[in-house]
Amino acid sequence: MIGRQALPVDETQLAVPRPVSSAQRLTLVPTQPGTVHRTFADAAETRRSGPPWRRRERRMPAGLVHAAELVADRSLCGLPLDSLHEFGRSRYAFEHFEAHLRCSACHAAAGSPDS
């Protein structure tokens, strides 16, 4: 029986990569500082929404949508918040409303945010 000759081995191909430490693997994503605004509207209306077997009446903003800082008693355009209807930010974020539905003064004061 004739033996086989060993081929030269490139050691760089055999090298197993070392595990990366968690400090190197996980990096923080820089966040862009943004101002959070509360959402208010001139009026409120109720609409039925959802699938037919589970329709619910929901309170929706009507009229112009205004913005206010988190701790403020007036909107960015100067209207007192007592005269406006407040809406939860989780469902009705000021940035998610189209520009023509927003109060133009609040839109400009908020820095013309886009969603």
Side-chain angles (χ1 to χ4, degrees):
M1 184 164 152
I2 302 174
R4 293 187 170 184
Q5 290 184 343
L7 297 173
V9 178
D10 185 9
E11 291 184 19
T12 59
Q13 292 177 351
L14 295 178
V16 178
R18 291 184 183 169
V20 179
S21 71
S22 62
Q24 293 173 343
R25 185 176 56 236
L26 300 175
T27 59
L28 295 176
V29 177
T31 57
Q32 190 174 18
T35 306
V36 177
H37 295 101
R38 295 187 301 167
T39 304
F40 292 84
D42 291 333
E45 62 183 25
T46 56
R47 290 188 192 164
R48 293 182 60 86
S49 64
W53 60 87
R54 198 175 56 184
R55 286 204 190 265
R56 291 179 41 184
E57 285 195 3
R58 295 183 191 249
R59 203 170 75 102
M60 308 273 295
L64 291 178
V65 178
H66 301 272
E69 293 180 2
L70 289 178
V71 182
D73 59 347
R74 295 189 167 273
S75 67
L76 296 180
C77 64
L79 291 175
L81 297 182
D82 297 341
S83 64
L84 300 172
H85 298 269
E86 184 172 8
F87 292 90
R89 181 157 172 79
S90 61
R91 183 178 295 262
Y92 302 107
F94 179 73
E95 298 83 20
H96 292 176
F97 286 95
E98 295 178 14
H100 71 276
L101 296 176
R102 299 179 197 165
C103 165
S104 59
C106 288
H107 177 71
S112 304
D114 291 326
S115 61

